[in-house]
């Protein structure tokens, strides 16, 4: 770029007349300012990484990381997690028939129940997840197939959903609400958990369906068009998603705060997962009293209303029970990583210290003051 | 076939018109010939590139020829046409911005050129038309017009001199702005032209325009009332060149022969082509590597996508149906668009913002040159000037420096320093001189308090006053810069302010020197030379003959007859040509003086004389007359007579004249050589002069062995020139290349280990023999030999160069093996071609007009400023931009790599990992400012240290920081970081329940965590590399991190009505509410930075030969000084 130069050139003033060969140009004084900035002499901190400065840093990192790593590791190990695959791939699995005989058109839902045993009691609040595998919720065509303004309660988007929702935009000439592939493929298995006590009676475990979605999603990002009442009227001109069995206003008819677009199961589903194997929060089992375990050890039955086909794409369905700590769910990775990095830093610190003292005595005196 | 025929046709065409006929004053020569109005171009100078009409298409075309712009255009078009993961705005907007800014800049530059052209083209000139004087604009001059030019005006086009106001039918001209010679040259009118130009009826036949300034061949046919036309030959002495200035002559008339772009001046100017820096070439190379990476990434993804989709149920599971349009699309077309989509998704790897940042860095960075107060010269009240900022970093890469001599190395200001008479040294001391002008000699050779005899002294001074071709400037009232008002030794009233004009500035200096000692040359009056001696008496000498100077004899003589009737021959010349011709017993005493003076860089001349008896004179006179009338071999005959005359003389003494060097010229040259640069002096001046300058600048040392390849050495051997040339080249080559000790390692430059320094001298004529040798093969071979010799010499001196030859040399070196970076520095218009040719052209704001400054890339007031410009500014700019470029590639590699890896986990569906806002803002906002600040303010080594240690410059020589090694390092670093970011988070997300309320994170949280780590790591990596933390660096580095956090909150905090998807709504805030996310961010940042920290320590640990410790020692010492 040449602006600077030409500014300067113009200040050369009119050329004194010799054509083409610029005679003596009249110049006005333009002595550069003697400022620190213009002379590139700004006060500057000139750090140099030397063994003297880095060594303590390594030790500090080691000292901090190793305890954190231990804490993480211990925490993660203390988290109780139980996982069960109920897809029904094998012939002897309880949901085999449901999985095999699945048909979109069947009016009656297939149910199956899976027995399992918890060896250890789950003491604190237990979180119930469903997990899907080989389900590409992060596929581009899938991720973009939604209309957030429709979900935000925008009336024009309700009647005229975004083009991104294709091919789940209209059905039978009516705009679909909620439109798009994500909504259309809403996970609709129903999971119920029963405790089988020693004498064989089933006791249903109460599952809380609130508080599973992000607060901001539930209260801001998702809104029913025209308020939460009279959802039937609001969605009058809309068709239900093609794969749904019931309309959006029938998701939770018992609770108007959990119905329609603000149904938490729906909201959780709408937050697309990062990886093809994922889990989503389904229900919370709250701790009742301080002296009894939330889920005592023993036999349980998982009752499944099997609505969701995954075998066509070789997917798997799981139910996960897990307690939660301050670091979230069970994940040994962080603890191990912290321990490793902390130890490496510490080790490096030691090695460097040795090298430093052995070979670099000459420089030490010069380095450390900096 | 067709082309050949076409060529032949064209060639024929050219041959047919290899001369042009000009009708003086547009009057047909003989009455029966009608004028065939030949078409010549008009006198318009066009240096501009565009017109209003072709600006847009031409400029766009030129811009899109840049590989990067073209690439972005393609990406943009793909985004418009194909359904891609990112919107076309993300690449279209920056591209539009870049193109517009560049177009505006170039348009503005061209407008300035238009303005300058217009100023030249509309300059008023006077043209004689039908006996009337008509004022015209310069551009309207046509070939054949008779133009009037007055004193101190420049000639508007190439003219044949018809008439001069001087009585001797000559005029004086200075061609300072053409070839750098500021002395006056006489040009002659065509003889036998009537006084009345109105009735002149003549035609001129001359060659077609050609760029050689010193060649012109033509004929003039003068028709006089039905007589046979008179034919006069025309040579360069009749031709007044456009650009030269008329001096000491009231006015002249001339007929225009070449106009406009056909003038020799215009032909000597090459168009100002756009210079590209080597860094840009490196960028382009890296760009291609990254393009390959990009294409291979896209290919891999596309292939894998189709492999993956071939498994049943993967391509179109029930939950993710395709639209009807997708289903209808042809599979191959689909593959292609998928490929393009991947390209678009990964295209951020080559960000358009890099070009914006580089441009900004260059533009803003160049201000520091203009602002530097060290470049300010109080004399001309100006600082440095930056004409193009594209080449800042090239200043740190210079390997060859081509410098002009006159006005650049020297001030072109001759001064008489001392003389030696009869072996005794006389030094002029200002102010304290006695009446006779001589002070006490203090040289080591002469015995103190001793003087030569008074008679000898006077003889010497008379010789100085008589033996020259100086003219006294007539107008004494005028006091322009030609008149150096020398007031001699207190006798103000007696000494007029006197101006001398001579073809050589040495002569003026000698005459002035004599004047200081009391002998004043008063002028030539009808063959009588008048001098005033120290007793204030006027002495008259009749000038009988002048035996002119020529470069082969290297001496000149005059024969004068004194009042007393005795005839004397005074001779002055180079020592080598005088010493053999005087009595040997006198020589030794003087020789020591001469040699000492020569090594000090003074120009030495010896003076001798002899008495001629009447008989001798008669013979000489006869011989001279005869030789002068000879038609054939006139030169040779004259030479014979001269040689015969100039023998048996007696040596009187020697003089030393100093061509004053520019301030600190020698120190500057030394520093540049220390920095590993080779210095070539290219001058139009004589060899002797140039050589002494080289000595004075310490380019040639006392022990430097000089290898000469000049017309003189070629003629010495007595063989044919070509053979001799061949022999000499081979001999020198053997000496310098083959016998030179082998270097230790290729990297160190030759000068450090060369035991014997060589200096090489070549002149223009020989050079053209080397370059344009008759046979193709030998020319190539000579060229190679020549280059190799030169590369092994510490300094090379090329004298007697025409401007284009200078450019030729620069071009030759530029294109030689390894394509070294060249720098040309000059101050005159004769240097323009080489300034334009070299990678970096530097103009000195000297006395010889501003042509050089205007065509240069950088202009500085003085030569001494070159040192800081290269060693400090150039070095820093290079380090800065190299780091900038590497860092940019690095940060975009680790930006895009996770996105690439993510494709393996999202079914190769081109799903972006990051939100569109992050994709767009990453390069524009989050990471651009710190690197820009770094690239503007970084001083990895303080400037003083750089200036004091010229050798530091070599560490970055040969593009050291932008070679494949460092590039590989940065690429590996980028890949490592990308892997750490992606897989670190990937393992964290094996369980996406990361919050303490059991809620899970989705894909946008994943991307945001990766992106957060990315932004912090990339910024901190730069922080680690920053060695010079000014408050701006602090502000920008911490500021941009804070801005990222703030922006993320802001962007995720609002439901944006214009967005179709609220992907990031509260994602960032939620991320921060998770302890695990915090921990993983901290961990991965640290892991990423660890290798670099270790590497820095390791690099420092390698002992004293490593680069880092020396630097840090320097730093420490400098800090101690502070």
């Amino acid at each position: 770029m040449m602006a600077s130069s030409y500014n300067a050139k113009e200040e050369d003033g009119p050329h004194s007349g010799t054509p083409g060969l610029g005679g003596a140009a009249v110049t006005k004084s333009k002595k550069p300012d003697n400022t620190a900035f213009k002379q590139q002499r700004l006060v500057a901190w000139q750090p140099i990484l030397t063994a003297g400065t880095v060594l303590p840093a390594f030790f500090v990192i080691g000292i901090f990381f190793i305890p954190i790593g231990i804490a993480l590791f211990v925490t993660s190990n203390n988290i109780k997690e139980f996982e069960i695959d109920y897809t029904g791939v094998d012939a002897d699995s309880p949901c085999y028939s449901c999985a095999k005989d699945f048909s979109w058109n069947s009016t009656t839902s297939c149910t199956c129940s899976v027995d399992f045993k918890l060896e250890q009691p789950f003491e604190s609040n237990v979180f119930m997840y469903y997990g899907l595998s080989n389900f590409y919720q992060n596929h581009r065509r899938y991720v973009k197939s939604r209309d957030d303004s429709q979900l935000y309660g925008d009336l024009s988007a309700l009647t005229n959903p975004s083009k991104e929702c294709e091919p789940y935009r209209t059905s039978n000439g009516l705009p679909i609400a909620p439109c798009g592939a994500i909504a259309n493929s809403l996970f609709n298995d129903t999971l119920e958990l029963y405790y089988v006590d020693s004498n064989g009676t089933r006791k249903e475990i109460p599952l809380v369906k609130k508080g599973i979605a992000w607060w901001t999603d539930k209260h801001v990002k998702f809104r029913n068009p025209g308020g939460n009442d009279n959802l039937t009227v609001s969605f009058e001109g809309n068709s239900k998603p093609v794969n749904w069995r019931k309309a959006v206003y029938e998701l939770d008819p018992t609770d108007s705060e959990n119905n329609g677009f603000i149904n938490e199961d729906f909201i959780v589903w709408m937050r697309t997962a990062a990886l093809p194997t994922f889990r989503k929060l389904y229900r919370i089992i709250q701790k009742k009293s301080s002296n009894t375990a939330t889920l005592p050890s023993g036999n349980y039955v998982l009752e499944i209303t099997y609505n969701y086909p995954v075998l066509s794409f070789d997917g798997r369905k799981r139910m996960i029970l897990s307690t939660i700590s301050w670091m979230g769910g069970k994940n040994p990775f962080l603890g191990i990583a912290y321990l490793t990095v902390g130890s490496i830093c510490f080790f490096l610190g030691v090695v460097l210290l040795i090298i430093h003292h052995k070979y670099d005595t000459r420089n030490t005196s010069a380095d450390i003051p900096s | 076939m067709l082309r050949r025929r076409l060529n032949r046709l064209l060639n024929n065409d050219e041959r047919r018109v290899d001369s042009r006929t000009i009708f003086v004053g547009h009057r047909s020569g003989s009455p029966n010939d009608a004028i065939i109005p030949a078409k010549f171009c008009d006198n318009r100078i066009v240096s501009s590139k565009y017109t209003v009409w072709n600006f847009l298409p031409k400029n766009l075309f030129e811009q899109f020829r840049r590989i990067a712009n073209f690439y972005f255009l393609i990406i943009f078009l793909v985004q418009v046409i194909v359904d891609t993961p990112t919107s076309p705005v993300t690449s279209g907007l920056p591209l539009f911005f870049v193109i517009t800014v560049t177009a505006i800049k170039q348009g503005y530059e061209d407008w300035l050129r238009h303005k300058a052209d217009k100023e030249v083209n509309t300059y008023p000139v006077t043209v004689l038309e039908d006996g009337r004087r008509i004022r015209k604009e310069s551009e309207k001059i046509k070939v054949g017009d008779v133009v009037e030019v007055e004193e101190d005006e420049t000639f508007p086009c190439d003219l044949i001199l018809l008439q001069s106001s001087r009585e001797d039918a000559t005029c004086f001209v200075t061609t300072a702005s053409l070839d750098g010679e500021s002395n006056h040259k006489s040009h002659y009118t065509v003889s036998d032209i009537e006084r009345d130009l109105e009735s002149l009826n003549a035609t001129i036949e001359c060659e077609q325009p050609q760029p050689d300034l010193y060649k012109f061949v033509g004929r003039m046919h003068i028709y006089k009332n039905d007589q046979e036309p008179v034919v006069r030959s025309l040579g360069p002495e009749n031709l007044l060149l456009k650009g030269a200035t008329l001096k000491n002559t009231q006015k002249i008339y001339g007929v225009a022969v070449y106009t406009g772009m056909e003038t020799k001046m215009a032909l000597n100017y090459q168009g100002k082509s756009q210079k590209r820096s080597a860094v840009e070439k490196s960028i382009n190379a890296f760009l291609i590597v990254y393009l390959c990476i990009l294409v291979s990434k896209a290919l891999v993804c596309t292939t894998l996508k189709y492999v993956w989709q071939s498994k049943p149920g993967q391509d179109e599971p029930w939950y993710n149906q395709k639209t009807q349009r997708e289903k209808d699309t042809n599979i191959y077309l689909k593959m292609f668009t998928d490929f393009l989509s991947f390209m678009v998704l990964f295209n951020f790897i080559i960000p358009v913002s890099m070009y914006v940042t580089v441009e900004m860095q260059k533009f803003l960075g160049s201000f520091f040159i203009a602002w530097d107060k060290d470049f300010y010269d109080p004399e001309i009240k100006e600082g440095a000037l930056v004409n193009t900022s594209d080449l800042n970093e090239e200043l740190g890469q210079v390997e060859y420096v081509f410098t002009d001599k006159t006005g650049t190395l020297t001030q072109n200001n001759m001064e008489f320093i001392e003389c030696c008479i009869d072996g005794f040294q006389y030094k002029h001391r200002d102010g304290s001189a006695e009446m006779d002008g001589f002070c006490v000699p203090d040289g080591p050779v002469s015995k103190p308090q001793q003087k030569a005899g008074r008679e000898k002294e006077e003889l010497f001074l008379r010789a100085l006053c008589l033996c020259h071709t100086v003219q006294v400037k007539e107008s004494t009232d005028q006091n322009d810069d030609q008149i150096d008002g020398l007031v001699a030794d207190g006798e103000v009233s007696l000494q007029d302010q006197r101006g001398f004009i001579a073809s050589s500035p040495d002569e003026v200096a000698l005459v002035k020197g004599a004047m200081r000692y009391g002998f004043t040359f008063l002028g030539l009056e009808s063959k009588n030379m008048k001098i005033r001696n120290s007793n204030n008496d006027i002495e008259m000498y009749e000038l009988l003959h002048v035996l002119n100077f020529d470069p082969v004899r290297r001496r000149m003589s005059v024969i004068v007859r004194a009042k007393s009737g005795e005839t004397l021959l005074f001779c002055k010349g180079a020592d080598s040509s005088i010493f053999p011709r005087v009595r040997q017993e006198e020589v030794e005493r003087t020789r020591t003086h001469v040699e000492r003076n020569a090594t000090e860089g003074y120009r030495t001349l010896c003076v001798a004389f002899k008495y001629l008896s009447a008989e001798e004179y008669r013979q000489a006179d006869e011989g001279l007359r005869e030789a002068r009338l000879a038609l054939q071999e006139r030169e040779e005959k004259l030479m014979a007579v001269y040689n015969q005359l100039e023998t048996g003389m007696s040596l009187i003494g020697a003089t030393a004249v100093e061509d004053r060097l520019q301030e600190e010229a020698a120190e500057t040259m030394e520093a540049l050589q220390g920095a590993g640069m080779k210095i070539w002096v290219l001058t139009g001046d004589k060899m002797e002069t140039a050589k002494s300058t080289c000595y004075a600048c310490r380019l040639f040392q006392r022990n430097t062995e000089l290898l000469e390849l000049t017309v003189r050495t070629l003629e010495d051997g007595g063989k044919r020139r070509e053979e001799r040339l061949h022999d000499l080249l081979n001999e020198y080559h053997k000496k310098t290349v083959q016998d030179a000790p082998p270097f230790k390692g290729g990297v160190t430059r030759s000068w450090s280990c060369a035991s014997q320094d060589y200096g090489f001298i070549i002149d223009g004529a020989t050079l053209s023999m080397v370059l344009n040798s008759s046979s193709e093969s030998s020319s190539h071979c000579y060229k190679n030999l020549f280059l190799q010799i030169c590369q092994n010499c510490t300094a090379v001196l090329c004298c007697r160069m025409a401007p284009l030859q200078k450019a030729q040399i620069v071009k030759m070196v530029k294109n030689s093996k390894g394509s070294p970076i060249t720098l040309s520095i000059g101050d005159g218009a004769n240097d323009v071609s080489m300034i334009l040719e070299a990678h970096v052209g530097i103009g000195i704001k000297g006395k010889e007009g501003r042509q050089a400054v205007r065509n240069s890339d950088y202009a500085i007031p003085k030569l001494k400023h070159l040192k800081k410009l290269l060693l400090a500014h150039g070095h820093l700019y290079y380090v800065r931009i190299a780091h900038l470029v590497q860092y940019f590639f690095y940060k975009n590699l680790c930006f895009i790599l996770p996105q690439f890896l993510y494709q393996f986990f999202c079914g190769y569906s081109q799903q972006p990992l990051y939100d569109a806002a992050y994709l767009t803002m990453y390069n524009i906002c989050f990471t651009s400012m710190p690197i820009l600040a770094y690239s503007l303010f970084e001083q990895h080594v303080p400037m003083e240290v750089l200036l004091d240690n010229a050798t530091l410059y070599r560490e970055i020589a040969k593009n050291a920081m932008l070679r494949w090694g460092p590039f590989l390092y940065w690429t590996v670093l980028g890949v490592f970081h990308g892997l750490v970011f992606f897989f670190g988070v990937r393992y964290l997300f094996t369980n996406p329940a990361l919050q303490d309320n059991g809620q899970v994170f989705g894909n946008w949280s994943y991307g945001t965590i990766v992106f957060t780590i990315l932004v912090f790591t990339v910024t901190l990596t730069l922080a680690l590399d920053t060695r010079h933390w000014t408050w701006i660096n602090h502000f920008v580095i911490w500021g941009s991190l804070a801005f990222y956090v703030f922006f993320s909150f802001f962007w995720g905090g609002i439901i944006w009505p214009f967005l179709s998807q609220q992907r990031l709504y509260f994602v960032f805030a939620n991320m921060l509410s998770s302890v695990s996310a915090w921990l993983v961010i901290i961990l991965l940042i640290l892991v990423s930075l660890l290798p670099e920290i270790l590497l820095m320590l390791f690099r420092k640990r390698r002992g004293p030969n490593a680069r880092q410790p020396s630097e840090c020692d320097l730093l420490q010492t400098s800090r101690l000084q502070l």
Side-chain angles (χ1 to χ4, degrees), chain A residues 274-275, chain B residues 898 902 905 913-914 981-987 989 1001-1011 1067:
Chain A
L275 299 168
Chain B
Y902 193 56
F905 297 90
L913 179 60
Y914 316 112
F981 303 156
F982 183 79
F983 284 105
V985 182
R986 157 90 190 71
Y987 286 114
F989 264 71
F1001 280 169
N1003 65 322
W1004 298 117
S1005 300
Y1006 189 110
T1008 305
I1009 294 176
V1010 172
F1011 192 77
V1067 163

Side-chain angles (χ1 to χ4, degrees), chain A residues 137-353:
Chain A
Q137 245 203 334
N138 57 5
H139 196 281
R140 181 161 74 94
R141 199 167 58 224
Y142 187 81
V143 169
K144 69 175 183 184
S145 184
R146 65 192 284 164
D147 186 346
D148 276 352
S149 39
Q150 193 191 47
L151 300 173
Y152 189 56
D154 192 282
L155 288 171
S156 62
L158 193 67
T159 49
N160 184 21
S162 157
K163 292 249 180 340
E164 304 282 2
C165 285
E166 286 292 355
Y168 304 100
R169 190 165 164 265
T170 54
S171 131
N172 305 325
L174 284 177
I176 294 177
C179 75
I182 311 178
N184 179 63
S185 58
L186 174 69
F187 182 78
N188 55 359
D189 279 1
T190 316
L191 307 175
E192 279 161 357
L193 198 59
Y194 296 92
Y195 177 66
V196 186
D197 53 19
S198 45
N199 49 18
T201 48
R202 283 182 170 195
K203 199 174 105 198
E204 185 174 0
I205 292 169
L207 303 175
V208 178
K209 55 188 171 187
K210 285 206 169 175
I212 56 172
W214 289 14
W215 190 91
T216 45
D217 285 0
K218 164 101 179 164
H219 293 94
V220 187
K221 198 174 165 184
F222 289 78
R223 278 182 196 172
N224 279 320
N228 294 342
D229 308 320
N230 291 323
L231 287 183
T232 331
V233 183
S234 303
F235 290 109
E236 217 170 29
N238 292 98
S239 162
K240 70 176 173 61
V242 283
N243 287 37
W244 283 22
R245 290 173 187 245
K246 46 191 177 184
V248 63
Y249 48 85
E250 294 162 336
L251 283 175
D252 187 0
T254 56
D255 185 356
S256 69
E257 290 299 314
N258 195 27
N259 201 4
F261 290 156
I262 56 171
N263 178 273
E264 290 204 23
D265 284 323
F266 175 67
I267 294 172
V268 165
W269 182 255
M270 291 305 282
R271 183 155 294 280
T272 46
L275 299 168
T277 298
F278 60 89
R279 64 173 71 173
K280 281 184 188 289
L281 188 53
Y282 185 63
R283 293 291 182 262
I284 302 170
I285 307 162
Q286 243 137 20
K287 190 176 174 66
K288 289 198 197 69
S289 59
S290 52
N291 42 12
T292 53
T294 322
L295 291 180
S297 55
N299 291 320
Y300 290 84
V301 174
L302 178 67
E303 194 95 1
I304 302 137
T305 316
Y306 202 109
N307 292 327
Y308 206 72
V310 292
L311 284 183
S312 62
F313 53 86
D314 199 26
R316 295 289 180 275
K317 295 195 284 192
R318 287 163 298 144
M319 190 281 298
I320 301 133
L321 293 171
S322 168
T323 59
I324 287 290
S325 72
W326 51 272
M327 60 168 282
K330 193 181 185 80
N331 192 351
F333 164 73
L334 264 185
I336 294 170
Y338 262 85
L339 272 175
T340 321
V341 173
S343 323
I344 289 176
C345 279
F346 201 82
F347 174 72
L348 279 175
V350 172
V351 169
L352 286 175
L353 193 69

Side-chain angles (χ1 to χ4, degrees), chain B residues 532-551:
Chain B
R532 181 164 54 210
N533 66 14
S534 51
N535 301 327
N536 265 332
D537 300 327
I538 307 285
E539 297 177 13
M540 296 284 266
Y541 292 89
E542 191 188 346
L543 179 63
L544 300 171
H545 284 289
V546 177
L547 283 57
N548 273 323
F549 179 88
D550 70 70

Side-chain angles (χ1 to χ4, degrees), chain B residues 21 513 601 628 799 811 947:
Chain B
T21 309
R628 277 190 185 137
C799 38
K811 193 172 185 175
L947 283 176

Side-chain angles (χ1 to χ4, degrees), chain A residues 46 48, chain B residues 939-946 948-949 1110-1122:
Chain A
Q46 295 171 330
I48 309 161
Chain B
Q939 292 176 35
H940 65 300
V941 177
M943 293 238 240
E944 300 80 35
V945 182
L946 285 177
D948 292 344
N949 298 280
S1110 69
E1111 260 180 32
C1112 98
D1113 287 347
L1114 294 171
L1115 278 171
Q1116 242 125 29
T1117 51
S1118 72
R1119 205 168 328 139
L1120 285 176
Q1121 282 159 7
L1122 289 173

